[in-house]
Each structure stands twice: as structure tokens, then as C-alpha cells.
Amino acid sequence: MAGNAGNTDNAENTVLVIGAGLGGLCLAQGLREAGIPCAVYERDSALDARRQGYRLHIDSRGDQALRQVLPPQLHELFRATSGQPRNVTTIYDSRLTPVTEFVLDDGDVQRNVNRFTLREILFEGLDNVHFGKEFVRYEERDGGVIAHFADGTQARGAVLVGADGVNSPVRRQYLPHARVVDTGLRQLYGKIPLTAANRELFDPAMFSVFNIISGPEKAMIGVAPVDYPEPIADACARLAPGVRLSPDEPYMTCAFGARTEVFGQTDDELRALSGDEMHKLVLDRVADWDPKVRRIVESWVPETVFLVSIRTSVPIRPWEPSRISLVGDAIHAMSPAAGAGANTAMRDGAALAAALSSGRPEAIGEYEAEMRRYGFAAVRESAANGAQHLGQNPLPELSPAPVF
């Protein structure tokens, strides 16, 4: 594990990465592979300092990004610690009758992985991640960039990349006109251990990429498996004996999502609830659904439940490239309704690493042009799916004219 950095006098060609999420770590691994100096600064005190979610869906685009930036044994370790679900998303009604099934068409790879396991793999081998470093602002000076942190320290580099999520301070300074808006949706995320008894709660068809159980007012229960092909420790011993990943057991992600009106409480009120109180709230909301749905929710582990307020970026027009750039939710946050957020962030990290390793002055601008194309397309697709299936607010447009 890397320790906290003090005052840092970085080399003139160092890339400063603000944020150690999936996009930032993917970028750091790509730069490491290319031999480009890089330093990552993360606000949290440790990699596991807070809950950020559970299961992630990784498609061919995310897999390709991982293959591009990771040493082969770590990419194989990702494969070995991710489940291979049925390649569909199914929508059920509240009586558990299948209504619609979507076969996913975004490549041959469809994996469900535990978010923290993937972050640990992306963190492996990096000795340049500094925790407890809250970014405050940057300044461009003397042909470089200086990052300032809340503890009074600073770091100097050639390029600064905001990989600091939906609330990105880098974006707020660099692109102050870029908007992030409330989708009107909230989700309570929890986990159900896949014990032998709990497996009986789920039809075999539900061991797929994702399942939506849709109820009144477009409230929904979302379930998706993380079903490890082999114990994590065994995968490490077989593929990367020097790597130690945190142990975990198979589980179902189980989320209750709805518009804020359905919850009937403010975000502050919801966050003040205990896990048991959140659990009871959801049980009350599904009281009239199929008894099997209620049994699924009853199987939540209350201490795993937490609230997510879902927001989305609004696409913006191109900007002039500079020494500052952005990846992931810092520039194109999206609702989870298309399952594209993690894949897009890692695609950004790999693409920007490749651009920076080319050494061409125009490479950042080329990366940003392509990133805007696929990133904002994913934002629009997620918003459209969210509006159709979950009641998400319509995505605002910057202007009547097309963004591109």
C-alpha cells in the first residue's frame, strides 16, 4: 500500500491523477505500463474507506480496457474473480412474471464482478497512490500544473487529470459551465449472501447480467449475481501468487430504486436511518408484491444497505484542449440504467494513457473528442433507459442545437 504524500516536488513530465476510482486507477496502470511517471491523489484515507457499491457489469469495452493496461496475469485474475452470467437483462412485473428480456449486444465478454475486488486488482503494483489528499484547486504555471491539497501540500506535474467522480472539484474549476443534475431517482443498495438456502429464492434465469422487478410508480427491485468461479484466494494462488485480494463470498446485489416521492423522505432523512430502518422501509414498499419478492428483500443483510442519490451529467460542447483533462464520472456521470458507467470510465483511463504515451501534443484533444462522443452517447442512452423503466427525469439539453 502506498502511504500519504507530503509536499511533493514532482518531475516535470509527471501526470497528476486526482482520484483513485476505476478510471483513475486504470489510467495509472496504463501510464505505468508505458513508463510515464504518474502520481495518484485520493481524498479517502484508504482504498476501502467507504462503500461505493457492489456488483459491476463489465462488458467487452471494459474488458478491453483492462487487457490494455494490466499485466497479463492481473487481467487473467480479473477474469478468474468475475462471474459469467447469462447474457441478458430481464424485466419482471411485481408478480415475478417475465415481461421483457434484452439480449446484450455489446460484445462477447459479459462479466459480473465485485467492485472492490476489481479496484484491488487495479491497485496492484502501484506505488504512487497517496491517500488522504483532498484536492482543492490547481494552477497552471511555468509550463506545468500545480495541484493544491487541503492539508497545505502541493504537487507539480505536466498534466493534471480529474478522475474525482461526479462531484469533481477539477471539473468545477476547469469547466464551470458543465452541469450535473438530479435524476429524481434514489436507490438503496444491499447484499444477499448466496447461501444454499438463499439460492433457492432465485430462479436459474435470474443468474443473468441484471434483473429488474418492476412495481407500481416504476419502483423496482434490481438483482444481479456475483458468483465467483472459484475462491478468490485460489485464483490468486493459481494466477498471481504474490497478490493478496480481500476474501469475499458469492452474493446477489439487491437494490430498491424509485423516485424520491415514493420514498417519502429527504436524502438527509434517509441517510439518518439505520440499516434495519432502511430494510423495513423497503419491506413496507413491497408489501403488496409477490411473496417471493418480499422473501428476497427479507434476505438482505441490513448492515450492507446504503443510499445512492443518482445524478447525471448534461452533455456539453467541445472545449479547447489543455494540460487539464477528465475521465469517468468527473465528465460524464450517468444513471446505472444502461450499465455503462464503469466500462466507460475504464475505457477513458486506457484511452487517455495511450494518448499521453504517444507524446504528440494533439493527443489529449483527440482523446477528448472521442471520449465526448462515446461518453455522452452513454449518458443519453442511460437517461433514456432510466426514463422508460425507472421514471428518471428527462435529460436537459444545453441548447436546442445538437451538441455535436
Side-chain angles (χ1 to χ4, degrees):
M1 290 286 188
N4 289 351
N7 287 294
T8 306
D9 184 14
N10 283 17
E12 291 300 316
N13 59 345
T14 296
V15 178
L16 307 179
V17 181
I18 310 301
L22 297 176
L25 292 177
C26 202
L27 171 60
Q29 287 283 2
L31 294 172
R32 174 175 176 258
E33 184 74 11
I36 296 175
C38 165
V40 182
Y41 298 91
E42 168 58 46
R43 178 188 63 185
D44 289 344
S45 60
L47 199 68
D48 59 353
R50 62 189 170 96
R51 290 182 294 190
Q52 294 180 297
Y54 300 120
R55 159 262 181 209
L56 292 171
H57 166 228
I58 306 301
D59 62 21
S60 292
R61 294 163 293 191
D63 180 70
Q64 177 57 36
L66 291 169
R67 183 187 297 276
Q68 188 174 330
V69 303
L70 289 175
Q73 71 272 20
L74 290 183
H75 179 256
E76 285 303 310
L77 187 58
F78 152 70
R79 289 285 193 97
T81 54
S82 60
Q84 194 163 2
R86 292 179 62 238
N87 183 27
V88 298
T89 291
T90 305
I91 298 178
Y92 299 82
D93 65 19
S94 62
R95 312 314 301 174
L96 278 182
T97 303
V99 175
T100 307
E101 186 171 272
F102 302 96
V103 177
L104 304 183
D105 59 358
D106 43 12
D108 296 333
V109 177
Q110 305 292 341
R111 298 275 176 163
N112 281 1
V113 64
N114 183 48
R115 177 189 286 268
F116 187 65
T117 303
L118 178 56
R119 286 189 75 204
E120 285 189 308
I121 290 171
L122 281 167
F123 185 72
E124 183 63 32
L126 298 178
D127 59 1
N128 54 355
V129 181
H130 310 292
F131 291 102
K133 306 296 289 186
E134 182 180 354
F135 173 85
V136 176
R137 64 181 178 89
Y138 67 82
E139 58 177 317
E140 296 184 71
R141 191 171 70 191
D142 301 329
V145 185
I146 299 174
H148 294 267
F149 302 99
D151 61 4
T153 61
Q154 61 186 46
R156 181 179 178 86
V159 172
L160 184 142
V161 180
D164 46 349
V166 65
N167 296 315
S168 171
V170 177
R171 181 196 66 241
R172 287 200 298 265
Q173 180 177 351
Y174 186 49
L175 301 173
H177 59 290
R179 290 189 292 159
V180 174
V181 297
D182 190 344
T183 64
L185 303 177
R186 301 294 181 267
Q187 288 196 346
L188 292 175
Y189 282 91
K191 293 172 69 174
I192 298 172
L194 279 175
T195 62
N198 285 345
R199 284 181 185 272
E200 298 299 318
L201 294 170
F202 304 98
D203 294 334
M206 298 182 81
F207 286 80
S208 58
V209 167
F210 195 68
N211 305 273
I212 294 175
I213 306 169
S214 184
E217 300 180 274
K218 294 191 175 179
M220 70 93 182
I221 295 289
V223 295
V226 174
D227 212 359
Y228 297 103
E230 61 183 306
I232 289 176
D234 291 358
C236 291
R238 181 169 60 85
L239 295 168
V243 175
R244 298 290 183 269
L245 300 179
S246 299
D248 197 32
E249 298 296 329
Y251 65 87
M252 276 279 187
T253 291
C254 184
F256 175 74
R259 288 195 57 83
T260 53
E261 299 88 346
V262 174
F263 284 94
Q265 298 185 51
T266 67
D267 286 0
D268 287 343
E269 290 170 338
L270 288 170
R271 289 193 180 94
L273 298 177
S274 67
D276 287 326
E277 289 169 333
M278 290 183 180
H279 195 188
K280 182 180 184 306
L281 183 151
V282 176
L283 285 170
D284 289 345
R285 297 303 185 277
V286 301
D288 296 330
W289 297 24
D290 190 272
K292 194 170 183 179
V293 178
R294 185 177 177 86
R295 290 199 299 273
I296 288 172
V297 176
E298 286 172 345
S299 300
W300 270 10
V301 178
E303 55 266 31
T304 69
V305 182
F306 68 100
L307 174 70
V308 175
S309 300
I310 299 176
R311 289 170 290 165
T312 182
S313 297
V314 177
I316 61 173
R317 294 182 182 278
W319 57 87
E320 190 69 25
S322 73
R323 294 179 179 273
I324 315 301
S325 196
L326 298 157
V327 300
D329 285 354
I331 181 60
H332 47 56
M334 62 195 76
S335 82
N343 293 290
T344 308
M346 293 191 298
R347 182 177 179 180
D348 290 350
L352 183 53
L356 292 171
S357 66
S358 75
R360 296 181 298 109
E362 66 273 20
I364 289 181
E366 292 171 355
Y367 154 75
E368 290 176 340
E370 179 65 3
M371 177 269 289
R372 281 189 296 266
R373 182 192 65 77
Y374 66 73
F376 288 145
V379 168
R380 293 188 180 94
E381 180 185 5
S382 297
N385 287 352
Q388 179 180 357
H389 300 296
L390 308 175
Q392 178 175 334
N393 294 337
L395 184 67
E397 288 290 343
L398 180 65
S399 68
V403 174
F404 302 109

